Structure formats: structure tokens, C-alpha cells
């Protein structure tokens, strides 16, 4: 026989969302963002169901409650707004609501003039038992209602008025009979991040290229002097490739050459020398004080410094001597370098997650994060996390975030979808994406739908370029290609970034045709950039980033709608957050201007058919007055090959003004 | 710090199917049917993964194992064939396969002529440790291989031959290193049913209408005499509406009349009189011995008798006196009858699943099933299960099937999808569906796709009519409508049934226009049927059922493919099971013949483009020779408005015969 309690739980709660793998992993949310919880809730037969959402920070003992509302066909929704960072729990409690069932039946009977005394007596009993659950004046009030309902001496009409009164309904909502309530099978988890996990604009630069003196190794101090350049463009995360001493063994020269000049600076990802490893600063970049100064100057400009964590070592890294068991050894005693036969990467020793000392290794790696967190860093870009064990990341991120829930980790994994998704599930707050290679309208649209499917846990960060990837579309070298790609990145995804100044200075020369490697890549050598170049895209980027900062709709992703354009070289989409609506139109052809008719989904734009609406181009500051769903656009490849419109509903006054002023 | 063991488990096993709500409920399978298990399996980095499927009857202690194979993009598959009825468990175990990783790397290096001694020494170590896991001659063989691989004195080419030998590969597969293996998060459940749960053909009849004498109450003996009629048509389940004493209080007369003649037989679903309740036989139907005789005669013809279980009572049911607490009482002490205000069903007392005696109630209801199971009944059609508590069904079905895994329960719930699905999840083996109201090609196609989505747990049973439902399409009264609807039911769904003889005698008069109630329904009165009517559809039905019995493809559902027909009054689909392929073409217009071109997906039919193939119409026995994907069909509303073709690939000899004989 089943548990006695289970026998009375008639309500079913199913398909609760957001949930990731049945609650195995937390879904993601942002502080102060409304979390919408949906579920299928129903019972046997025809009784009315009531449901509430319960939620709390994981550490709290008491659940807060919010009522849920029926939508249709057994679908219900509720919402809550997390008020603290970190892990939250939520679940649903639902029960057969005998009072509401009774009111509904009574209403039908009343409509057919079939109400009898016993019908009201049933309600009186329900109200009486609610009175017993209540206390003080509420109990008294409920008791009074019960008496009035049940009193056979009183006129039936009067008793019906009591039955249907709002006062009674409200009193009853506050004192439901939950003895046979069902609680959803699994308590679901939510990881609540700060705003910047959801909305961030990244700028990646190699500090060593920022010396004002040609050929000299740049430093933190040089970067600090140029922080205004970065901040003025509207970037709020300054991401630095590894800042640690670089190994000399098998050091690579310019353009990945194997024959190295002693003056070649090496690859920043070949981390570690006798001077130190992952917690040491490359002496040419400066001191820890210089680093602290950079952080604090950046902070004063609203810019956060993000560090790169690449969990791998050059053969010269101190760990190689101190912790040889963290590396895989070959039978001849040598350490196994990275290889993808026939390619050898003898300058890199991967960490062996099958080490005999997993506890020591995990703790050692955590110390790296702890060190930089101690210095005030809260954003990390993690290099190739998919080549490190998933259980390690799950443990590491949970451990770090338990103390520092403001932490943001960006996963740099360009690999198969299941693997990228798993990294997001185990805790990475943001993820690099395939955006870099999605160029046509069909590719972009399909990809955005794929991302929408994993929206509960996977937060995309769109990059048109990285030091490793100069995509073919940018190799065309046209200004239109660079602008379009940044507009797409910055308006399709609330998190985006560029590798600069290569991007704004339109660096487009590949190492050789058919490769995505930059010629004279900063990965291998020091470069100098002319930030004052007249052709620089900095002004356009500034304009795009300003639009992002001033329009909340661009700061989220689940609010995207595509609109039809006849010309498939034009992509058209909008984002909406309450009254803020932005419509983007982008020319996907890097070589030719494109014109065409677009069919707007006016409902998605929040404008009425027949009413004109104002289109304010946030890139050029020009105003257009549109009306109806079908409009013509021209996207000029010689100028700005995109519109980013703020869509403004016309109020009557504004409209009058337009027509008569 | 995480569990030490967890730190080494690098492989991820995700998205295992079949699974129902993350393993909360069992998926459904059939004895001797291959169960295909799919999952996403991957690890960090680039190492090769191996995976096995483990499975066992729930009661068994030891897992059996089957290897899994990689398909693409982290997708893997494996399969097993359940050999016993009842609950089975399965799970996946996967690990990084260092030997295979090594062989793959070695192959690449060998291709580039880069193999060195240390490369082979690594393999030697892996083989040596496998030797330590093995025993006897296998251990010796592995040890020998390890020596040969690791021996620096031996020629490199010879060592490579050893490394790549199939002998070694096979030996290594048998002795993998699973110390760091990952087991899938949840052990998933499977409910294994017998064949008839998957493939069954039902015939519903009211025994009281089967007396040869007009106006007399028919009996089990009358039905027994006509079993040949049912069996010859190809039905293998004979389903009887409730066979119990019928209450007299508020008894309904013909056509649901409230004014009742004392001779009116009442509604069989108003169960219970002073003569007895759910375990008593209506005296006019016969004795328990008559029932036993009916069962045994039916069995000898390959027909199983299915009983109706309607868990509700007439006011005269013995439970009303013996167990008043199983019913809900109104404040005036009377029992609450069923009502849907303003409608009252005073002849029916619903069971109150919120009773104060849930244990007694649940046990009492189980006794009903136990009683009839004791009499040899193994198939039950459950009336309105969605008005009884879901936890009750889950407990009941699990309890009954633990002893009688050959049990089959058909859920008669015509309600919202979530509710129907839940009943299937809690254990119902078959379910009534919306097929009865799906008429157009779009409706039918959409519905079949919806059913495919719940194929893991929801087994449809298609009925063109029931005693409660004379759908509008049949009210047209055309022979073509009746034939088409049965062909659709019988070829779209492996489980199907009709309510006869109303169906084959084309009873099509509704109680009044706009209702689906039959005029002079057998629910309220005794009818007489002329089984020898010349217009009877029995011969066509026989032919359709013969096709079902002789074609395995029609005995399953997940093998359905739709084909394009230019004329949307024609629906075209095929089913395939290995070499057995059936193509159905049905005219959906009950009034007019339809012609049109169809575009066949030849791949789904297993025929080659360019080769002719023979179409054998299983309804008319006529043969056609078709070739290519585009063919013309004519579906005659005056004759048989459908083709059910067996598709036969031509062998060379057959083709020669056709052309030259």
C-alpha cells in the first residue's frame, strides 16, 4: 500500500521550467530580473486547482511564496525576483481548491436558478474549516461568513451574495487547505548572477603592444594611460591575455615560427618560467602594484579587468618541478607535451586530470583563481575549458561562487554543441559561440533559434574576431563587413566583444589564404597600433555601444523577434523590453549596397497598424516616420550598412505635432 | 573538495533515451522487441570514449551488458531485447579508452612516419595493465602482446603490426580499464508488455443485444455462440461493457429518458444493485460458469475477453451501505451524486478519493481487479480513469503488474493531452485517442506527429466509433466513410477497435442533429442486429484485419512515413518493418471518388529508384507494377475508397517473369 499521505495528493505538477536536466544543474538568472516559472498543473476530474510558487536563496530556511496563475490547458505561470546573488531554490505547491470548486459550481447552478440550501451548507463547512486554520480577526471574519452562509433562516439571495463576495474570496485565498497539497518532484536550482554576466561589452588587448615607443614591450602603465580610449568606446570589460612569465623552451617566433630569436617575446599562453607561473606577473608588464593601479583606474571609468586563465604550462613552469604528478609522463620519464598527431606542441604541457593527486591538483588550480580574486578580479576568460575535466569545473565554480557569487567566467570553447552546453551547465556564466562563422541570414537566424533553445543555461557572448580567428568575412577587408559584423554581434547578443585594436583598425590580412590566423599575430609578436587612424571604426563602435547602454532591450536575449525582408542580403530583427523597442536592419553583403522591402511584425514592435511610428536611427541620429508593416530600406555599403532604430510609438500629441507643426 | 572518485570521472553521459520525465516513470517496450537506447556521451579534450549499455529485469541483481556504438557528434546508440515481462532497468557506463586513444594517435603518427619507440612503450604499458585485469590464457595472451610491443630490440614495423592487430584490439575490448568510468545519473525504467499491448484489434459489443429472440435480454451464452463471427473478422480482443447488476434508483430509459419503464434494462455503467456490485455478474447475462465458458471458448479462437472497469456506483451498490466513507457526503447526510451544473447524474455516485479511508478504498478497488484476474481476465478497459486520483492508478497498476505483468489496461480518457499523457505515464498500457475526431489530411498528419512525440510511453488505440461517439463523418452514412475510417484506424495505429455491430452495419443515426450520441443507443436499451445484412462491412473489415495480422509493419507505430499526394483529399503513408512494407492510400472524402498523383519517398519504401516494384492490394488482392516515385491513383467511393498495398521489391527473377512470361 502506498504512503497514506500520498493517497490524498490528487494534484500533478509536471514540466516545471526553467530547469536544466531535471534539476541536475541550476538554470541561470540575473539579479533583479523577473524569473518566470511555468509548469503543467492539473488534477483528476473537474475540480479547481490552486498553485503557488515557493522560492528562497539556497542558504535560507524559509520559503517565500508567490501565487501562480492559470494560463490555458493545464499551463500555469508564476514569477519571482531574486534579490541576492548566488544559488536560489524554487518549487511549486498545488492543491485541489474545494472552495473555488464550490464557487464555480454554485455560479453555474445560480445561473440556472438551481441553488438549494444544502449547496450553501457545503460552502459554509469549507469556510468554517478555513476559520479554524486562521487566527485573530481573520478567523472571526471567516466564522461570521460561515454562519451567514449556513444559516437556513436567512434568505437564499442574501446567502448567495455572501458566497460570491470578494471579501470572502480574499479571506479564503489567505487560508487554503493545503493538507493534501502536492509539491513538485524536484526542488529546482537557479544561479543568480550580477547584471554584467548578462550584459557586457568586452575589449581584448595585448598590453605588450601598447608602448608608445615602437618595438618596446608595453606595460600595464601604458594600458592605464589608454583606458579612456577603451572606456570612451563604451566597453566595460577589458580582457587581457595571460599576463604571466612566458616559457623559453620551444618558444615560438613571429607567425608561429619554430626558429626563435632571443628577443622574440613568446606566446602569452605558454605560461611559466623560473620567474613564476599563474600567479606571477610578467616582469615587462609591471608589478603587482601596477596591476592594482590598472584595476582601480579602470574601475573608476566603469571598466572591469578580466584575466585569461589557461590551465596549461610551458616546460619552464614551476609546477613542472614542484608537481610533476600533475602532468602525464611517457614511459621514458619525459612529460607528455600536447600533440594532435602529426602536430606537436612541445611548448605546452597539458595538465593531466587523471593525476594520482587529484585533490592536490584541484586545490592548486583553485589557488590561481583565489589569488586573482584576492586582487579584486571578478571576471575570467577561461582558455579551452573543454580540454579540462567537467567535474573539476563543476566543483571549482561552485566552490568559488559560494564565496564570490559576483564571479563571471567566460568559457572559450569552440567545439561541439553538447560540450559547449555542458560547460555552461557546470557553471560557466558566459560562452563563446559560433557567431564568428555565421554570415548568411539563414545561418544567423537558425543559430539564434538554436541559442534560444538553450537560453535557460547558456549565455552567448558574440565576438566578430579573436586573436585566433580572423574570419573570412573580415578578410574581405571592407569597412562594411567590419561594421555589419559588430552591429550584428552587439545587437543580437547582450554580451559581445572584440579583439582590438585589430578590429577597429580593420586588420584583415591572414597569415596566408585559407587560414583564419592573423598575419603578424600579436600572439607571437609585439605590434603597434595607430589609434588615431582616420579610418578607425572607433566612432561607429562608440555609437553602437551607446545604443546598447541606453536601450534595455539590447541588454537581454530572450526578447528577439525576426522580421521578414524580401532581399535575403538584409537581416531584420527587433528586441523589446517593456516600452523599449529596438529594430536592427543589417546589410549582410560586404561589397554592395542593398535595398528592399521589409515586413514588420508590428505586434512585436508594440505599435498599432495604421498609426505612424517614429524610427530613430541610433547610429546616425536621423529620424524617420514609418507606418504600417511594409517599409522600404536602403543599406549603404559606403556609409553605415545598418540601421539600429529605436522604435517610438507616437502619442496623439506627437502625431499632431508631426502633421501640423 | 569533491569525492575523490568523482575527480577522475571525465566522461559525461547525457540525454539518455527512452526516458519519461527523467526516469520518474518507466518507458514502454514489448517483449522480444529491440529497445534502442540513445545518449550523448563525450569527454573533455580529444580522447576516445567507450561505452556500454547495462540492462536487467528489475528483480535481477546482475547487469547484462551490450556494447554501444558511436553515431555522430557525441550521439551513441545501443540496444537490448527484453526477455521477460515486467519492469526492467537500464543505464549506461562510459569511460575514456586510453588504448583506443593510443591506437588512433599511433595510426596518425604512422601515416606521417613519426612513430618512435616511446610511442610503442606507452601502448605496452596499457596492454600490460589489461593483462593484470585479465586471467588465465587471456592474461597470458595480453602479457605476450605487451612484451612484443614494448621490446626495444624488436623491429619497429613488427611492433606496429602487433599494435594494430585485430587480435590485440579484441583482447583489449574484453578488458577495459573502467576504474574511472561514469555511470549515467539515473537508472532508467522500462515496462515490458506482451505483444497484445502493442498489437491488438478490439471488438466491443453489448451481450444483452445478442439474443436471437427479439426483445429478449441476450446472454454470455448468446455471445459464445457468435464468437466465430467476431474471430473470423480478425478481432482478437472482445471487449464487454460492464457485466454487473444495474441499479434501479434514477435508472435511465431509452435515449437517456428520465421516465423509465420497469422493463427498461438500464445503463450498464450504473453499476450495483442489492444483487451485487463490481464482482457480480448481471443475472440476465448468466452465471460465473457461463462467463468462464465464454472466456475459454474465446481463447480457443485466439480471442481474449476484456472487461470494462468503471469505478463508480449506482445508489443501489452494496458499497454504498458497506463503505459510506468511500463517497462524499453533503451536509444533509445524503451522498453527493455526479453533477456538472446544471446537469445532475443522480444515478451515479462517484468514488471519493479524498475519503477518510484511503487504504480501505484502494484495497477494495484492487479487489475488483484481483477478482477478475482470478477468473483469467488480463485485459481491462478502464472507464474515465481521469476522474480518479493519479496516485491511485500508479499504485494499483504497479501492484497488479508486479504479480501479473501480462496485464493490459486501456485508458478511456477523452480529455486534455497532459491528463491523457499522465495516465499513460502512471501505467496505462493503451489509451483512447482523438483519432475519432481527426478527419482531414492535415489533422491526421499533425496528430500522428503529436503521437510520435509521446511514443515512449503513450500507446494509442484508434477507434472510429464507440457507444458514446458517433462522429460526424460517420453520420454521413456513406459506406466510403465507414471503410475509410476503419482503414485509417487499422493502418495508422497498431492498436484499434470498433464498437459493433453498429460499425459494420453502418449505424449512423444520431440522437438528434449536432450530437454524437447514437439514436436508440445500446447504452440505454437492447438492440437487435442483423449480422447477415448484405451491406455489412464485415468482409472488408476481415480483409483489413487479415492485412494487419499478416504484415508486421502494421503491428508497430514508430515506423510511419507520410508521402506527398497532390490531392489533399488523399492521404498516403507507409509503414516498414525490415522487409515488410505496407503503403496505404485513403480517400478522405466520404462522398466523391478522388484521383491524384502521389510522390513516394522510395527510400522509406525500401525500393530503388528506376526499379519497378510490385504493389499488392491487400484489400482487393489485385496486383500493380509501379516504378519511380510518382504514380497515379484512383480511390473509388463506390467500391473500396482505399488501397492497402504490400510493397514488394522485384528480384531479378520475378522481374524477368513479369516481362517475358
Amino acid at each position: 500500500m502506498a504512503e497514506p499521505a500520498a493517497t490524498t495528493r490528487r494534484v500533478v505538477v509536471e514540466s516545471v521550467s526553467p530547469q536544466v536536466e531535471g534539476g541536475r544543474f541550476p538554470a541561470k538568472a540575473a539579479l533583479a530580473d523577473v524569473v518566470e516559472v511555468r509548469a503543467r498543473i492539473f488534477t483528476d476530474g473537474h475540480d479547481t486547482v490552486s498553485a503557488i510558487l515557493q522560492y528562497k536563496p539556497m542558504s535560507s530556511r524559509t520559503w517565500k511564496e508567490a501565487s501562480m496563475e492559470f494560463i490555458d490547458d493545464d499551463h500555469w505561470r508564476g514569477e519571482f525576483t531574486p534579490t541576492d546573488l548566488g544559488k536560489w531554490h524554487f518549487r511549486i505547491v498545488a492543491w485541489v481548491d474545494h472552495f473555488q470548486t464550490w464557487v464555480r459550481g454554485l455560479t453555474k447552478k445560480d445561473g440556472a436558478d438551481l441553488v438549494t440550501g444544502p449547496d450553501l451548507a457545503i460552502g459554509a463547512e469549507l469556510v468554517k474549516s478555513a476559520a479554524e486554520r486562521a487566527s485573530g480577526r481573520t478567523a472571526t471574519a471567516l466564522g461570521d461568513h460561515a454562519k451567514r452562509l449556513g444559516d437556513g433562516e436567512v434568505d437564499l439571495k442574501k446567502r448567495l451574495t455572501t458566497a460570491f463576495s470578494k471579501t470572502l474570496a480574499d479571506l479564503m485565498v489567505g487560508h487554503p487547505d493545503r493538507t493534501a497539497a502536492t509539491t513538485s518532484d524536484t526542488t529546482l536550482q537557479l544561479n543568480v548572477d550580477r547584471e554584467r554576466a548578462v550584459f557586457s561589452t568586452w575589449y581584448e588587448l595585448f598590453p605588450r603592444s601598447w608602448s608608445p615607443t615602437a618595438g618596446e614591450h608595453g606595460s600595464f602603465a601604458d594600458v592605464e594611460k589608454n583606458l579612456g580610449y577603451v572606456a570612451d568606446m563604451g566597453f566595460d570589460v577589458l580582457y587581457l591575455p595571460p599576463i604571466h612569465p612566458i616559457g623559453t623552451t620551444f618558444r615560438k617566433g613571429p607567425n608561429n615560427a619554430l626558429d626563435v630569436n632571443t628577443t622574440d617575446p613568446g606566446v602569452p599562453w605558454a605560461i611559466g618560467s623560473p620567474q613564476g607561473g599563474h600567479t606571477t606577473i610578467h616582469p615587462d608588464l609591471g608589478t603587482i602594484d601596477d596591476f592594482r593601479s590598472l584595476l582601480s583606474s579602470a574601475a573608476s571609468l566603469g571598466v572591469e579587468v578580466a584575466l585569461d586563465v589557461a590551465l596549461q604550462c610551458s616546460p619552464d613552469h614551476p609546477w613542472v618541478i614542484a608537481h610533476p604528478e600533475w602532468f602525464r609522463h611517457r614511459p621514458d620519464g619525459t612529460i607528455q607535451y600536447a600533440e594532435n598527431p602529426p602536430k606537436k606542441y612541445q611548448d605546452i604541457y597539458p595538465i593531466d586530470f587523471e593525476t594520482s593527486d587529484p585533490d592536490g591538483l584541484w586545490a592548486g588550480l583553485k589557488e590561481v583563481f583565489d589569488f586573482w580574486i584576492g586582487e579584486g578580479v571578478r571576471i575570467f576568460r577561461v582558455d579551452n575549458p573543454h580540454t579540462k575535466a567537467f567535474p573539476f569545473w563543476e566543483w571549482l565554480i561552485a566552490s568559488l561562487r559560494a564565496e564570490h557569487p559576483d564571479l563571471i567566467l567566460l568559457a572559450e570553447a569552440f567545439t561541439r554543441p553538447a560540450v559547449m552546453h555542458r560547460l555552461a551547465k557546470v557553471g560557466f556564466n558566459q560562452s563563446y559561440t559560433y557567431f564568428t562563422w555565421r554570415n548568411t541570414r539563414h545561418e544567423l537566424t537558425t543559430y539564434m533559434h538554436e541559442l534560444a533553445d538553450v537560453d535557460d543555461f547558456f549565455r552567448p557572448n558574440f565576438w566578430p574576431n579573436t586573436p585566433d580567428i580572423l574570419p573570412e568575412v573580415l578578410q574581405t577587408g571592407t569597412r562594411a563587413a567590419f561594421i555589419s559584423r559588430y552591429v550584428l554581434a552587439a545587437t543580437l547578443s547582450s554580451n559581445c566583444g572584440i579583439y582590438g585594436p585589430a578590429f577597429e583598425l580593420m586588420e584583415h590580412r591572414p597569415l596566408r589564404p585559407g587560414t583564419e590566423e592573423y598575419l603578424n599575430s600579436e600572439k607571437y609578436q609585439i605590434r603597434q597600433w595607430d589609434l588615431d587612424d582616420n579610418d578607425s571604426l572607433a566612432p561607429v563602435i562608440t555609437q553602437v555601444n551607446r545604443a546598447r547602454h541606453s536601450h534595455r532591450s539590447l541588454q537581454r536575449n530572450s526578447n528577439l523577434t525576426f522580421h521578414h525582408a524580401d532581399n535575403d542580403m538584409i537581416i531584420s530583427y527587433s528586441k523589446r523590453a517593456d516600452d523599449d523597442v529596438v529594430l536592427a536592419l543589417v546589410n549582410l553583403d560586404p561589397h554592395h549596397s542593398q535595398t528592399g522591402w521589409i515586413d514588420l511584425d508590428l505586434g512585436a514592435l508594440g505599435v498599432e497598424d495604421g498609426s505612424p511610428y517614429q524610427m530613430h536611427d541610433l547610429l546616425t541620429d536621423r529620424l524617420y516616420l514609418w507606418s504600417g508593416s511594409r517599409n522600404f530600406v536602403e543599406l549603404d555599403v559606403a556609409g553605415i550598412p545598418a540601421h539600429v532604430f529605436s522604435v517610438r510609438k507616437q502619442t496623439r500629441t506627437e502625431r499632431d505635432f508631426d502633421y501640423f507643426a
Side-chain angles (χ1 to χ4, degrees), chain A:
Chain A
M1 182 112 310
E3 300 281 312
T7 58
T8 53
R9 282 191 214 118
R10 289 173 49 205
V11 174
V12 172
V13 180
E14 276 187 355
S15 310
V16 185
S17 71
Q19 69 168 288
V20 183
E21 289 191 27
R24 162 77 177 80
F25 297 104
K28 289 185 168 65
L31 192 67
D33 260 14
V34 168
V35 176
E36 182 175 66
V37 177
R38 288 174 175 261
R40 275 203 304 252
I41 306 176
F42 53 89
T43 185
D44 60 274
H46 309 287
D47 288 347
T48 302
V49 167
S50 282
I52 50 148
L53 173 62
Q54 293 189 325
Y55 57 96
K56 65 179 185 68
M58 188 177 75
S59 55
S60 165
R61 287 195 173 185
T62 51
W63 293 99
K64 293 180 185 186
E65 297 193 344
S67 61
M68 294 191 72
E69 56 172 358
F70 172 78
I71 307 169
D72 59 28
D73 231 11
D74 306 317
H75 290 98
W76 289 66
R77 72 175 293 287
E79 60 179 49
F80 70 101
T81 306
T83 49
D84 294 299
L85 296 178
K87 278 249 180 97
W88 282 63
H89 282 170
F90 65 96
R91 62 185 192 183
I92 289 170
V93 177
W95 60 94
V96 171
D97 191 318
H98 291 295
F99 179 74
Q100 285 200 38
T101 305
W102 171 77
V103 170
R104 194 187 54 181
L106 197 71
T107 308
K108 285 186 191 170
K109 281 190 179 174
D110 185 36
D113 226 3
L114 288 172
V115 177
T116 61
D119 293 321
L120 290 159
I122 291 172
E125 282 194 358
L126 294 170
V127 176
K128 195 173 148 219
S129 79
E132 285 157 15
R133 287 189 295 273
S135 61
R137 294 168 62 169
T138 318
T140 314
L142 281 164
D144 291 347
H145 276 86
K147 259 184 225 137
R148 255 175 286 155
L149 275 177
D151 188 349
E153 304 295 305
V154 177
D155 175 63
L156 211 65
K157 284 267 174 248
K158 278 197 183 160
R159 292 164 73 190
L160 275 171
T161 308
T162 304
F164 296 138
S165 77
K166 187 166 180 324
T167 319
L168 178 58
D170 290 346
L171 283 168
M172 289 300 288
V173 163
H175 300 279
D177 178 7
R178 291 198 202 163
T179 47
T182 299
T183 303
S184 44
D185 284 341
T186 314
T187 292
L188 296 173
Q189 313 174 58
L190 202 67
N191 237 331
V192 177
D193 287 324
R194 62 187 166 116
E195 179 68 14
R196 193 152 286 166
V198 183
F199 171 51
S200 61
T201 316
W202 294 50
Y203 189 81
E204 174 176 6
L205 62 79
F206 284 78
R208 66 187 186 186
S209 292
W210 285 65
S211 164
T213 316
E216 260 190 27
H217 196 289
S219 67
F220 291 147
D222 296 325
V223 174
E224 192 172 346
K225 286 180 200 124
N226 284 289
L227 278 172
Y229 172 78
V230 175
D232 288 349
M233 274 193 288
F235 292 99
D236 52 25
V237 179
L238 173 63
Y239 149 48
L240 309 178
I243 57 173
H244 316 298
I246 297 171
T248 50
T249 305
F250 293 105
R251 178 177 281 193
K252 301 282 174 71
N255 293 311
N256 205 10
L258 293 177
D259 48 330
V260 177
N261 196 305
T262 46
T263 59
D264 288 330
V267 178
W269 284 270
I271 295 168
S273 80
Q275 293 164 313
H278 285 77
T279 54
T280 306
I281 291 173
H282 191 299
D284 290 350
L285 290 175
T287 64
I288 189 77
D289 285 332
D290 295 338
F291 180 74
R292 288 171 187 161
S293 174
L294 174 66
L295 246 64
S296 109
S297 296
S300 71
L301 295 171
V303 175
E304 252 185 280
V305 172
L307 288 190
D308 189 304
V309 177
L311 295 178
Q312 58 190 21
C313 297
S314 95
D316 312 315
H317 195 291
W319 285 347
V320 175
I321 293 159
H323 301 288
E325 69 282 5
W326 293 0
F327 304 91
R328 188 168 297 179
H329 288 71
R330 291 149 53 101
D332 62 4
T334 60
I335 290 181
Q336 178 69 60
Y337 48 78
E339 58 178 344
N340 181 12
K343 285 190 200 163
K344 299 175 179 186
Y345 305 94
Q346 286 153 305
D347 56 334
I348 302 289
Y349 286 172
I351 301 288
D352 180 16
F353 282 85
E354 294 184 356
T355 172
S356 57
D357 175 34
D359 287 5
L361 172 66
W362 288 25
L365 299 181
K366 180 169 179 287
E367 279 169 19
V368 172
F369 287 88
D370 283 332
F371 178 86
W372 295 109
I373 289 170
E375 290 298 333
V377 178
R378 287 292 183 278
I379 309 185
F380 296 93
R381 176 268 199 193
V382 177
D383 189 76
N384 283 329
H386 58 295
T387 61
K388 286 90 197 169
F390 299 101
F392 164 69
W393 291 122
E394 188 169 7
W395 166 83
L396 178 83
I397 299 174
S399 307
L400 293 174
R401 283 180 58 95
E403 280 180 67
H404 308 284
D406 55 347
L407 215 56
I408 298 173
L409 272 73
L410 165 63
E412 187 252 1
F414 294 105
T415 179
R416 307 180 310 281
V419 176
M420 292 171 67
H421 295 167
R422 183 77 181 191
L423 289 165
K425 290 174 192 168
V426 300
F428 280 91
N429 312 79
Q430 299 185 357
S431 305
Y432 281 78
T433 69
Y434 304 144
F435 164 75
T436 317
W437 300 278
R438 297 291 180 268
N439 294 300
T440 67
R441 184 167 76 185
H442 176 73
E443 285 170 355
L444 286 163
T445 312
T446 306
Y447 190 51
M448 295 316 293
H449 286 126
E450 282 172 31
L451 290 177
D453 287 342
V454 291
D455 183 53
D456 280 347
F457 62 89
F458 184 92
R459 282 208 201 95
N461 193 329
F462 278 11
W463 291 69
N465 75 329
T466 78
D468 293 313
I469 314 167
L470 172 65
E472 290 192 348
V473 62
L474 297 186
Q475 293 182 26
T476 64
T478 70
R479 191 177 172 84
F482 278 84
I483 297 177
S484 290
R485 292 299 293 172
Y486 190 65
V487 170
L488 288 168
T491 56
L492 282 171
S493 173
S494 59
N495 294 303
C496 71
I498 57 170
Y499 151 54
F503 188 85
E504 68 266 28
L505 298 181
M506 294 186 286
E507 174 60 80
H508 64 276
R509 294 164 300 167
L511 178 59
R512 55 176 181 274
T515 169
E516 293 181 328
E517 283 283 331
Y518 276 96
L519 179 68
N520 304 328
S521 167
E522 284 181 286
K523 288 196 294 183
Y524 307 103
Q525 68 190 77
I526 293 172
R527 291 281 297 266
Q528 263 213 322
W529 301 101
D530 179 8
L531 303 182
D532 300 322
D533 190 305
N534 276 336
D535 282 340
S536 171
L537 299 176
V540 185
I541 289 169
T542 305
Q543 211 63 15
V544 174
N545 288 345
R546 210 168 276 167
R548 284 167 56 81
H549 282 279
S550 55
H551 288 272
R552 184 160 167 81
S553 57
L554 295 177
Q555 300 168 15
R556 292 296 181 274
N557 289 328
S558 60
N559 56 350
L560 178 70
T561 304
F562 285 97
H563 302 265
H564 176 77
D566 292 353
N567 178 344
D568 65 9
M569 281 301 198
I570 296 176
I571 190 167
S572 168
Y573 50 90
S574 64
K575 284 186 166 187
R576 183 176 180 185
D578 301 322
D579 278 349
D580 180 50
V581 185
V582 169
L583 173 76
L585 294 152
V586 184
N587 179 355
L588 299 174
D589 180 347
H591 298 293
H592 307 96
S593 294
Q594 296 286 341
T595 61
W597 289 91
I598 53 165
D599 279 308
L600 296 172
D601 173 349
L602 295 180
L605 300 182
V607 302
E608 286 162 44
D609 201 0
S611 302
Y613 45 98
Q614 196 191 54
M615 300 298 262
H616 173 197
D617 192 332
L618 302 169
L619 305 184
T620 60
D621 232 6
R622 292 175 64 174
L623 296 174
Y624 301 81
L625 196 66
W626 284 15
S627 82
S629 62
R630 206 157 161 81
N631 289 278
F632 186 82
V633 291
E634 177 164 6
L635 299 169
D636 182 9
V637 81
I640 306 282
H643 288 302
V644 176
F645 286 127
S646 170
V647 183
R648 299 217 184 87
K649 247 190 305 196
Q650 299 282 295
T651 65
R652 171 75 58 157
T653 324
E654 283 172 342
R655 220 192 287 170
D656 291 349
F657 181 81
D658 283 340
Y659 285 152
F660 304 112

